[in-house]
Every structure is written in structure tokens, then in C-alpha cells.
Amino acid sequence: METRDETSAGGLVVSGMAEAVGPGGKVDMSRIYVALIGRLDRRGRLLWSMPKGHVENGEHQWKTAEREVWEETGITGEAFDTLGTIDYWFVSDGVRIHKTVHHNLLRYVDGVFNDEDPEVTEVAWVPMSELMEHLAYADERKLARIACDRMPDLARKEAQAGRATPR
């Protein structure tokens, strides 16, 4: 069977990090939001995941993540940290495909949601405190756990740097 490698990139767009830092540096995870996309599966169920898509020739994974987030959600994010990589195998049209997906953290910059991408059914802001129960795929939940564990330190750094979320 023919085998092909494919690479994608995307991630979590995060909003409200600095604003979630309270007195004494305590971080309220319910005040930090992440952008997710929903797609209908073959059974008509809405499955939530991180936006992502194909890396173009010569494109850095952060640029791909920023472009794909914009294409799939309508919002602009700025990649600022790597989150992790997922890889898996599947068969499509008689070709065995090894897919590698690079996930990143992106800072919300601008824009409003749209679901004009034909592959996306719905787009939503989800509180980081509820992220785990929204994500449909176990491998993305593992990356989300990493993001949740790192978020308090990242939020405090954003607050210390004076970076407020654009409104």
C-alpha cells in the first residue's frame, strides 16, 4: 500500500490571560477562554476540537497555526508557545497516511467568529475551566491538560508584561 506523510498545525487561541490574574497572583481559570471549532461527524454529532490545518511548503508551523485559526474561526491569533505534537495513521482512498499535527498556544489578537469554512459547523469560546469536557478526542485532551497546567504561570507572565486582551 502506498504511504504518505502529512503535516498540520493549529492550536488553542487563548483570551483573557492577564485579566484572570487576581490578588496575590491567583489565576481564575474560568475567566480564560479558548476558541474551539465544532464539526459534525458521520452520525450527525457535533465534535469539538482545536482548529488546525495543512502546513504549506516552507511555512513555519506557527504561521500555519495562525493562518488555519483565522480560516476556521475568523479570529486572529499570535502563536507564542508550543503545546505538543500528535501523530497517527489512517487510510484514505487506498493510501496509508502518517499524519503529524503540531499544536501551539496563540494569544487572541482581533476578530469575531465566523464559521464560513465549509468544514466547520460551529465556533465557540469555551472557559478553560471547562475545556476538558468539551474536547472530543483523547489526544487533544492530553494537550489541553498540559495547557491547563501551564496556564497559571503563563497568565501571570502576561499580567506582569502588561499585556491586556484586546476588546
Side-chain angles (χ1 to χ4, degrees):
M1 182 179 284
E2 178 188 350
T3 301
R4 184 172 65 223
D5 289 320
E6 292 185 3
T7 306
S8 291
L12 287 174
V13 179
V14 184
S15 177
M17 286 185 284
E19 295 81 359
V21 179
K26 182 167 172 47
V27 178
D28 181 352
M29 297 290 273
S30 69
R31 294 188 60 202
I32 299 173
Y33 287 81
V34 295
L36 297 181
I37 59 169
R39 294 181 174 155
L40 291 176
D41 71 0
R42 292 180 196 158
R43 295 183 189 152
R45 296 176 300 179
L46 187 63
L47 303 179
W48 292 98
S49 65
M50 300 177 197
K52 59 194 155 294
H54 182 73
V55 175
E56 302 294 339
N57 277 345
E59 188 175 48
H60 186 275
Q61 67 153 327
W62 281 14
K63 288 297 170 201
T64 300
E66 292 168 357
R67 177 179 52 78
E68 287 292 336
V69 160
W70 181 81
E71 288 176 6
E72 292 188 346
T73 68
I75 61 174
T76 303
E78 174 189 32
F80 70 95
D81 202 359
T82 57
L83 191 51
T85 302
I86 295 170
D87 75 304
Y88 54 95
W89 293 86
F90 64 97
V91 175
S92 178
D93 297 324
V95 178
R96 189 167 183 236
I97 298 172
H98 177 230
K99 182 111 178 197
T100 303
V101 185
H102 300 281
H103 289 81
N104 305 279
L105 290 171
L106 297 90
R107 201 180 276 115
Y108 171 78
V109 174
D110 192 20
V112 293
F113 284 149
N114 72 56
D115 55 6
E116 292 178 13
D117 187 308
E119 296 177 9
V120 175
T121 305
E122 202 170 317
V123 185
W125 286 114
V126 173
M128 189 150 236
S129 58
E130 299 174 17
L131 178 59
M132 300 302 288
E133 57 254 26
H134 277 79
L135 290 170
Y137 305 105
D139 49 5
E140 286 193 359
R141 286 193 299 272
K142 286 179 187 175
L143 292 177
R145 171 57 44 216
I146 292 167
C148 288
D149 289 346
R150 289 170 50 199
M151 194 51 56
D153 287 340
L154 293 170
R156 285 189 283 273
K157 285 180 185 174
E158 291 287 297
Q160 288 169 356
R163 274 196 200 102
T165 301
R167 299 284 176 208

